[in-house]
Amino acid sequence: MSGIAAPKAPVLFKAGCPDCRARVELSAGALRLAIGGSRRTTFYSFTCPECGSAVRKPAGERIVELLTGGGVRTLRLHSTPLETV
């Protein structure tokens, strides 16, 4: 071995479209992950390559771990406190 690492194959994620029911494989660049303050506000999204629908699905702890580890761009959502009148 020469000590040079072989190039890694790109990570592909499998997902399903609820609109057209297609099972698709998506690269990390095709997905977005939003991490909010609760389960309800933590989700991943993508555009279905088959039908063009915008898809948004909940992301639990394991999904967040897999997507972040695979290089999916992540947005952290911060809530702002409501102003008291």
Side-chain angles (χ1 to χ4, degrees):
M1 296 196 101
S2 64
I4 298 173
K8 284 186 177 181
V11 177
L12 292 177
F13 298 94
K14 292 182 181 180
C17 176
D19 289 344
C20 71
R21 303 251 187 235
R23 297 286 303 156
V24 297
E25 288 188 344
L26 303 162
S27 68
L31 292 156
R32 297 292 175 265
L33 174 63
I35 300 176
S38 71
R39 289 177 133 180
R40 206 170 46 130
T41 57
T42 300
F43 61 91
Y44 66 97
S45 61
F46 62 93
T47 299
C48 176
E50 297 293 319
C51 71
S53 290
V55 179
R56 177 175 161 166
K57 293 188 170 194
E61 260 184 61
R62 182 70 180 136
I63 298 294
V64 169
E65 194 176 299
L66 290 170
L67 294 178
T68 56
V72 172
R73 200 174 320 167
T74 303
L75 172 65
R76 294 205 180 269
L77 304 175
H78 297 284
S79 61
T80 56
L82 294 175
E83 186 176 316
T84 308
V85 181

